[in-house]
């Protein structure tokens, strides 16, 4: 169960724990429960902390890039996902098994997921979904109770009596299931109903969820065992009653689920010599705005010197301990963590003690392991972010600095489509709305994206393009356009002057995904009288590149273990 919501201090915390880290994590959890955004006053009430404490925590989290403060509203940013990414990286399950999950989803034409246990709940850590009007998908990181899921019945087959006791106590203490805010309300089943499901799962080696989460949703699950024979994770196929009955799903899908689980188990056994793949079980109870590694201590010290007492250095350092797990290999020691963060052993030890107390770290002798509970820190609401949402605050910042409109667009066939935009309040402004399409060949956005295409895609597109004159200076010859695109590739930007419309000048740079492919472009558009071409290059291009880099950083973090949709 999640700890109580309004606890300004934790009387059960170990003496060596870091109180600012406990409070900072409480703020992140309250923001997560509010789906990513809260007013400062609401955040104060939700945490039970003093307003001055909330202000200092928010300022520190903003400095690390984990939240954004706009007026009185605090919003989680995609950069926060690096905490959850550290867990997903350290557990290695998505990396080792993700391709097999995706292949099974293609084979079944159904959504397929991987889940791990978290106390008497479960969390999904990977999923491949199908695009349908009736889409079935869980948010990565949401906590769901074992009794209402197919994976939960399988995890409970290995419970000890103390775990059953903890489950019954939670059920008695929280009959309305308020500890699972993402769960749709359903009539409560008696305890024996779940106990019988667990007995069946133990006997059958599989478990069925027949509309326990919500009406119409059905799921079938099988265990995936690690090299030692324990349940590393659970593989489940999710469908809708319009496509299958529960028993029909069992009859048609179970053999293929078991075959896929056997393949996954071979992957886990092959990986075992490099270190046993963790199960992800929690106890019952790098790249951010700041640097990682040895530079961390100097960065936090510099931030402290600049911001004074408003910057909580121990909070920033404690969160970096979480991200260090992504780079230290499996089950790092205290020395590994201290070396990865540049912190003293004493500081790293106190942070680890605090994280263990909060249930985010578990300890086995000298070795430490992140638990799935780290995913409660913003991962679920942020896992549904889109490229346009990622870009919007960065575009707004750029537009505010240069006092000209900024936009993000993607390539759709032979046109660019605007998917995000920040306008200015100038009397004479470029008036383009989200959703607008223009021919790619005559726009800076389009030329950046065309230049990023491989020849096998670009050649047929240009061969069939209708290069019509749209303005007095529009390029209408393919050879001339190809020469310009060669220059765009070399220079890394495109500048178009009065080719789409008389008086309109724009400059664009690409936004690249983790593989280096240009998936979008960002531009600044203006009237040709407002800046000369040289002024565009000197005054606008550096900020444009910086903005694209900030968008890419957030995009790479958000897309590390999932897909980011455009809209």
């Amino acid at each position: 169960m999640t700890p109580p919501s309004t606890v300004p201090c934790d009387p059960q915390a170990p003496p060596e724990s870091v109180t600012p880290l406990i409070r900072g994590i409480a703020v992140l959890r309250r923001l997560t429960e509010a789906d990513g955004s809260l007013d400062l006053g609401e955040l104060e009430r939700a945490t039970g902390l003093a307003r001055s404490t909330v202000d200092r925590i928010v300022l520190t989290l903003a400095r690390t890039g984990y939240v954004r403060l706009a007026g009185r509203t605090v919003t989680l940013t995609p950069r926060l996902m690096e905490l959850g990414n550290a867990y997903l990286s350290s557990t290695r399950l998505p990396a080792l098994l993700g391709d097999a999950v995706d292949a099974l989803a293609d084979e079944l034409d159904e959504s397929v997921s991987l889940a791990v246990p978290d106390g008497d709940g479960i969390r999904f850590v990977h999923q491949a979904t199908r695009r349908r009007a009736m889409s079935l998908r869980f948010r990565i990181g949401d906590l769901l109770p074992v009794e209402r899921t197919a994976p939960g019945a399988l995890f409970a087959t290995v419970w000890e009596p103390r775990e059953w006791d903890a489950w019954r106590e939670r059920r008695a203490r929280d009959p309305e299931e308020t500890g699972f805010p993402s769960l749709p309300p359903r009539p409560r089943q008696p305890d024996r109903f779940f106990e019988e499901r667990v007995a069946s799962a133990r006997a059958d080696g599989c478990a069925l969820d027949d509309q326990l989460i919500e009406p119409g949703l059905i799921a079938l699950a099988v265990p995936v065992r690690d090299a030692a024979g324990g349940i590393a994770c659970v593989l489940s196929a999710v469908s809708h009653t319009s496509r299958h009955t529960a028993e029909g799903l069992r009859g048609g899908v179970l053999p293929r689920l078991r075959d896929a689980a056997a393949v996954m188990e071979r992957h886990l056994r092959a990986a075992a010599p490099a270190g046993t793949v963790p199960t992800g079980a929690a106890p019952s109870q790098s790249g951010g705005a700041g640097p990682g590694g040895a530079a961390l201590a100097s960065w936090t010290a510099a931030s402290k010197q600049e911001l004074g007492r408003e910057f909580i250095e121990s909070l920033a350092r404690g969160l970096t301990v979480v991200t260090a797990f992504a780079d230290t290999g499996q089950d790092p020691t205290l020395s590994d963590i201290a070396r990865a963060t540049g912190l003293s052993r004493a500081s790293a030890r106190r942070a680890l003690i605090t994280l263990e107390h909060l249930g985010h770290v578990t300890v086995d002798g000298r070795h430490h392991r992140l638990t799935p509970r780290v995913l409660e820190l913003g991962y679920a609401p942020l896992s549904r972010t889109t490229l346009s949402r990622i870009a919007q605050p960065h575009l707004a910042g750029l537009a505010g600095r240069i006092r000209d409109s900024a936009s993000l667009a993607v390539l759709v066939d032979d046109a660019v489509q605007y998917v995000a935009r920040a306008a200015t309040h100038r009397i004479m402004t470029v008036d383009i709305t989200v959703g607008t399409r223009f021919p790619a060949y005559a726009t800076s956005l389009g030329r950046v994206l065309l230049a990023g295409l491989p020849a096998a895609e670009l050649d047929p597109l240009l061969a069939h393009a209708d290069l019509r004159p749209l303005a007095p200076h529009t390029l209408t010859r393919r050879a001339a356009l190809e020469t310009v695109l060669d220059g765009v590739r070399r220079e890394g930007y495109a500048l178009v002057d009065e080719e789409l419309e008389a008086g309109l000048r724009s400059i664009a740079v690409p936004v690249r995904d983790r593989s280096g492919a240009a998936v979008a472009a960002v531009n600044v558009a203006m009237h040709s009288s407002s800046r000369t071409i040289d002024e565009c290059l000197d005054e606008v291009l550096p900020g444009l590149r910086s903005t694209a880099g900030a968008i890419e950083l957030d995009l790479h973090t958000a897309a590390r273990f999932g897909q980011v949709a455009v809209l």
Side-chain angles (χ1 to χ4, degrees):
M1 274 295 297
T2 302
S5 292
T6 54
V7 189
C9 60
D10 188 345
Q12 297 180 332
E16 293 179 278
S17 62
V18 183
T19 299
L21 180 56
I22 294 174
R23 291 173 172 172
I25 285 177
V27 166
L28 290 174
R29 290 177 52 220
R30 298 296 85 76
L31 286 165
T32 302
E33 292 167 4
D35 211 32
S37 187
L38 273 178
D39 176 89
L40 280 168
E42 295 171 329
L43 193 52
E44 177 186 353
R45 289 188 291 274
T47 58
L49 297 169
R51 176 60 182 271
S52 60
T53 300
V54 171
D55 288 344
R56 293 181 65 212
I57 289 171
V58 167
L59 181 62
T60 302
L61 293 174
R63 180 73 166 191
T64 61
Y66 290 159
V67 305
R68 181 174 61 256
L69 183 61
R72 292 176 49 85
T73 301
V74 185
T75 303
L76 299 178
T77 70
R79 196 83 51 86
L80 180 64
M81 294 179 74
E82 70 179 14
L83 301 180
N85 285 346
Y87 162 72
L88 295 172
S89 176
S90 65
T91 196
R92 300 170 65 205
L93 291 172
L96 289 171
L97 308 182
D99 288 346
V101 171
D102 297 344
L104 181 61
D106 289 339
E107 177 189 345
L108 299 177
D109 194 27
E110 299 288 356
S111 295
V112 178
S113 304
L114 289 179
V116 296
D118 185 353
D120 59 2
I122 72 155
R123 297 186 195 268
F124 290 97
V125 296
H126 183 81
Q127 63 179 326
T129 58
R130 304 294 88 188
R131 287 187 174 275
R132 295 194 182 99
M134 183 63 69
S135 179
L136 300 176
R137 127 178 234 203
F138 297 101
R139 297 196 310 183
I140 299 298
D142 269 335
L143 183 67
L144 301 174
V146 288
E147 64 269 21
R148 284 179 61 177
T149 67
L154 288 164
F155 290 128
T157 61
V158 297
W159 276 2
E160 300 291 339
R162 61 182 174 80
E163 292 166 307
W164 280 105
D165 290 344
W167 173 74
R168 294 186 183 96
E169 289 171 8
R170 185 264 292 167
R171 294 260 292 172
R173 184 173 63 251
D174 185 22
E176 302 299 322
E177 297 179 325
T178 58
F180 304 93
S182 65
L183 195 69
R186 294 284 286 157
R188 180 186 171 96
Q189 299 283 357
D191 289 0
R192 68 176 182 277
F193 181 76
F194 180 59
E195 294 163 359
E196 291 168 357
R197 289 183 61 227
V198 173
S200 296
R202 187 180 293 112
D204 299 341
C206 66
L208 190 67
D209 162 15
D210 187 0
Q211 305 182 76
L212 295 173
I213 291 289
E214 64 177 77
L217 187 150
I218 53 177
L220 181 66
V222 298
V224 177
R225 299 187 179 276
D226 59 26
I231 300 178
C233 58
V234 165
L235 173 69
S236 63
V238 185
S239 190
H240 191 267
T241 50
S242 62
R243 291 175 57 81
H244 295 278
T245 64
E247 287 307 314
L249 188 68
R250 183 197 294 267
V253 172
L254 183 57
R256 286 181 281 180
L257 267 181
R258 284 181 165 151
D259 288 345
V263 171
M264 294 178 185
E265 289 170 351
R266 289 197 290 273
H267 291 328
L268 297 186
R269 287 195 295 271
T276 302
V277 176
T279 64
S284 295
Q285 214 15 134
S286 59
L296 169 72
S298 59
W299 179 82
T300 55
S303 297
K304 184 71 173 177
Q305 184 175 7
E306 179 182 343
L307 301 178
R309 67 179 301 276
E310 299 305 308
F311 181 78
I312 308 175
E313 193 170 7
S314 57
L315 169 58
R317 291 183 170 188
L319 292 175
T320 302
V321 166
V322 176
T323 65
F325 279 81
D327 303 317
T328 54
Q330 288 182 276
D331 303 349
T333 64
L334 171 60
S335 297
D336 294 332
I337 293 295
R339 187 163 46 249
T341 58
L343 297 176
S344 68
R345 284 174 57 88
S347 295
R349 179 174 176 273
R350 290 189 65 204
L352 288 168
I353 288 172
T354 306
L355 294 167
E356 180 186 7
H357 167 67
L358 295 173
H360 296 119
V361 166
T362 186
V363 182
D364 182 9
R366 296 176 59 245
H367 296 276
H368 301 77
R369 178 183 302 161
L370 290 182
T371 75
R373 196 155 302 174
V374 173
L375 296 172
E376 74 179 358
L377 304 179
Y379 211 87
L382 292 170
S383 68
R384 294 289 180 87
T385 195
T386 63
L387 179 56
S388 56
R389 289 178 188 169
I390 288 172
Q392 191 62 50
H394 299 294
L395 296 177
L398 176 62
R401 290 190 297 273
I402 65 174
R403 300 188 64 234
D404 271 309
S405 61
S407 304
L408 183 86
V410 296
L411 191 65
V412 180
D413 299 324
D414 60 353
V416 290
Q417 179 172 334
Y418 287 73
V419 296
R421 181 165 169 78
T424 62
H425 298 291
R426 299 177 68 157
I427 294 174
M428 186 168 61
T429 185
V430 178
D431 187 17
I432 300 171
T433 58
V434 169
T436 298
R437 292 191 184 188
F438 289 125
Y441 71 91
T443 65
S444 61
L445 292 162
R447 288 182 183 174
V448 162
L449 293 170
L450 291 173
L453 292 177
E457 295 180 33
L458 178 62
D459 289 345
L461 191 152
L462 293 182
H464 295 92
D466 179 15
L467 305 182
R468 295 177 294 110
L470 304 173
H473 302 296
T474 308
L475 284 181
T476 57
R477 292 175 52 249
R478 176 175 172 177
L481 179 59
E482 289 176 336
T483 299
V484 168
L485 294 181
D486 286 339
V488 171
R489 292 187 194 97
R490 288 193 307 271
E491 302 296 334
Y493 72 90
L495 190 148
V496 170
D497 189 24
E498 299 189 279
E499 295 191 49
L500 179 66
E501 181 178 318
L504 179 64
R505 179 177 293 152
S506 68
I507 184 169
V509 298
V511 173
R512 301 186 184 278
D513 64 14
R514 293 179 63 85
S515 71
V519 294
V522 59
N523 87 336
V524 171
M526 68 205 78
H527 193 274
S528 57
S529 63
S530 64
R531 282 186 176 90
T532 66
I533 289 177
D534 286 342
E535 287 172 338
C536 286
L537 298 178
D538 293 339
E539 300 173 6
V540 178
L541 183 58
L544 197 57
R545 283 175 163 157
S546 176
T547 298
I551 295 171
E552 287 176 347
L553 182 58
D554 283 351
L555 173 62
H556 298 174
T557 301
R560 184 171 180 186
F561 291 102
Q563 294 183 337
V564 175
V566 173
L567 293 173

